Amino acid sequence: QVQLVESGGGLVQAGGSLRLSCAASGRTFSTAAMGWFRQSPGKEREFVAAISWPGGSTSYADSVKGRFTISRDNAKNTMYLQMNSLKPEDTAVYYCAAARLAFRIITNPSGYDYWGQGTQVTVSS
């Protein structure tokens, strides 16, 4: 079983930056498309960004284009989400996800096999 653990969340003022990390561990695991999703209280989980295996393609939600950057370091089994120019509406729990043995971009949460527990991002105004 693959385990995913998010880190890097916290409280930041509007206009600030955070970098989220998602570390994968468990059995030997390297071939997987990955993505980030977020969810705020009372709202559905929404797509944020995704990256292909081994990392040649990316996709972003319109709401974060130009502000967020998804990347991965396959040697470290780690995925990142660099978040700049943060807005109060970015406040949510952010989840990482992995699709085992998948290569292409996946934006639908049903396409993912593994999920982390989430990390809270709060943007104050």
Side-chain angles (χ1 to χ4, degrees):
Q1 180 71 16
V2 174
Q3 295 176 300
L4 302 177
V5 179
E6 302 95 337
S7 62
L11 175 64
V12 64
Q13 291 186 328
S17 298
L18 286 172
R19 189 179 77 155
L20 306 184
S21 298
C22 173
S25 62
R27 68 170 69 95
T28 301
F29 181 80
S30 60
T31 303
M34 301 186 74
W36 288 97
F37 294 78
R38 67 187 182 187
Q39 187 169 28
S40 57
K43 295 186 178 295
E44 296 182 346
R45 187 168 299 188
E46 67 173 339
F47 168 75
V48 176
I51 188 166
S52 65
W53 172 264
S57 298
T58 59
S59 182
Y60 298 91
D62 288 342
S63 60
V64 306
K65 285 181 179 177
R67 300 188 298 119
F68 291 10
T69 302
I70 188 172
S71 62
R72 63 192 299 165
D73 185 337
N74 296 324
K76 296 181 178 180
N77 288 331
T78 302
M79 176 179 64
Y80 305 95
L81 184 68
Q82 178 66 48
M83 305 185 294
N84 298 325
S85 302
L86 283 162
K87 305 174 181 179
E89 51 262 47
D90 294 318
T91 295
V93 176
Y94 283 70
Y95 299 89
C96 68
R100 182 175 52 88
L101 301 182
F103 291 79
R104 296 179 176 85
I105 292 289
I106 300 173
T107 60
N108 191 319
S110 66
Y112 289 94
D113 302 303
Y114 302 98
W115 293 83
Q117 292 299 114
T119 185
Q120 177 71 48
V121 172
T122 302
V123 184
S124 65
S125 61

